[in-house]
Amino acid sequence: MGLKKVWFITGASKGLGLSLVNQLLKAGQYVAATSRNINELTSAVNSNSEKFLPLTVNLSDELSVEQAINATITQFGRIDVVINNAGYGIGGSIEELTDEETRNSFDVNVFGTLNVIRKAIPHLRAQKSGHIINISSIAGINGATGWAVYSATKAAVIAFSEVLAEDVKEFGIKVTVVAPGAFRTSFLKAESLVLAKNPIAEYEDVRAVHARYLKMDGQQAGDPEKAAAAMISLAAMPNPPIHLLLGNDALTRATTKIETLEKEFKDWKAITISTDF
């Protein structure tokens, strides 16, 4: 894995976040890991190593995030890699999801990630190095029926990561946005997935898609340990990618989206170019 680094990982008590923490600690890396529930985090990681710093963080609260970043700097002296992994799925049509349900999703999946980036960058900029890895989803590239809001949050993560990479490259900071497909984690379980509290009967296709997704729990093709290892490897690369897909399903969906867009743009080219002076 190379030189020892200090890693700051959100959403670390389960899923890909937990796999990342365990692999990094096993390799002797320094890890600050966050969760909404520190007891759940410490129980899941089960490590008394001085290289492990568990933190309770409310990602929607800027002060809470700032305190976690400062605690990491105090404990380890620096931060080398930030992995924004925290997030949750939300299913339902736009009509079915309330304003509160929708905003809560953006608060965690988008604004929580922005809070971490905003508070970490001054330290990375001062040291002229660092790597920010944002975990999006293939849904942010090619969404599916019944997941409009979730797809929107993950598309936002991809969009701001692309520009962030340009904005901070002069400071020696690298940015990668990861779009995983379906991995065998707790993502489809109740603690990681929210469905509309007030479903509308007419949305039969949405209900059918949700039922199919829920049956996938435990059957997903992706191996979270391999995904974690792939993400960890990015930190050792002199020129890591800005975009990284994980999983054959992610590659298939992304390729399909590109092909669909190319065809649509060509089909409607006449109208597109007719608007110029």
Side-chain angles (χ1 to χ4, degrees), residues 181-189 213-224 249:
F183 279 80
R184 207 168 296 180
T185 66
S186 60
F187 181 77
L188 292 177
K189 298 186 185 300
Y213 269 76
L214 292 174
K215 288 179 181 178
M216 288 173 53
D217 187 28
Q219 306 298 319
Q220 300 96 322
D223 182 341
D249 58 335

Side-chain angles (χ1 to χ4, degrees), residues 67-90:
Q67 290 171 340
I69 294 289
N70 290 342
T72 304
I73 298 294
T74 299
Q75 179 83 359
F76 298 130
R78 60 187 291 122
I79 295 176
D80 297 297
V81 185
V82 174
I83 301 185
N84 283 301
N85 170 71
Y88 67 92
I90 181 167

